[in-house]
Amino acid sequence: MADAGGMHRTPRRDKLSLGDYNRVAYVGPNTTLICTGSNAGASGIIVEDTTNVVVTLENGGTLTAANTMNTKQIYPVGIYKVVIAATGKAHVLFK
């Protein structure tokens, strides 16, 4: 029988919560992250450097981090795309 992506994994023994977010993707300068395919399900962002960071939301609209976000704060929003020009740093969180 073929393994269907973890169908046969051993269950966790401790039964503890894995937390609100279980994966993170770093987005650095001169980088674009599009949250589709293996990056689908982006549900939060922490901006480390707001310079030149533009966040496109899942259902439309954009946020320019320098004008709308504080650094090192979690923003629980559905994200479609994060574009960073020459400077800027962000961490996209996944559930």
Side-chain angles (χ1 to χ4, degrees), residues 28-77:
N30 299 310
T31 307
T32 298
L33 175 70
I34 299 176
C35 300
T36 59
S38 63
N39 286 323
S43 54
I45 189 167
I46 300 171
V47 181
E48 192 175 325
D49 178 356
T50 61
T51 312
N52 296 314
V53 177
V54 178
V55 180
T56 302
L57 303 177
E58 185 67 38
N59 290 324
T62 59
L63 298 171
T64 303
N67 299 331
T68 59
M69 297 179 164
N70 295 320
T71 59
K72 301 177 183 174
Q73 181 176 337
I74 296 176
Y75 290 92
V77 295

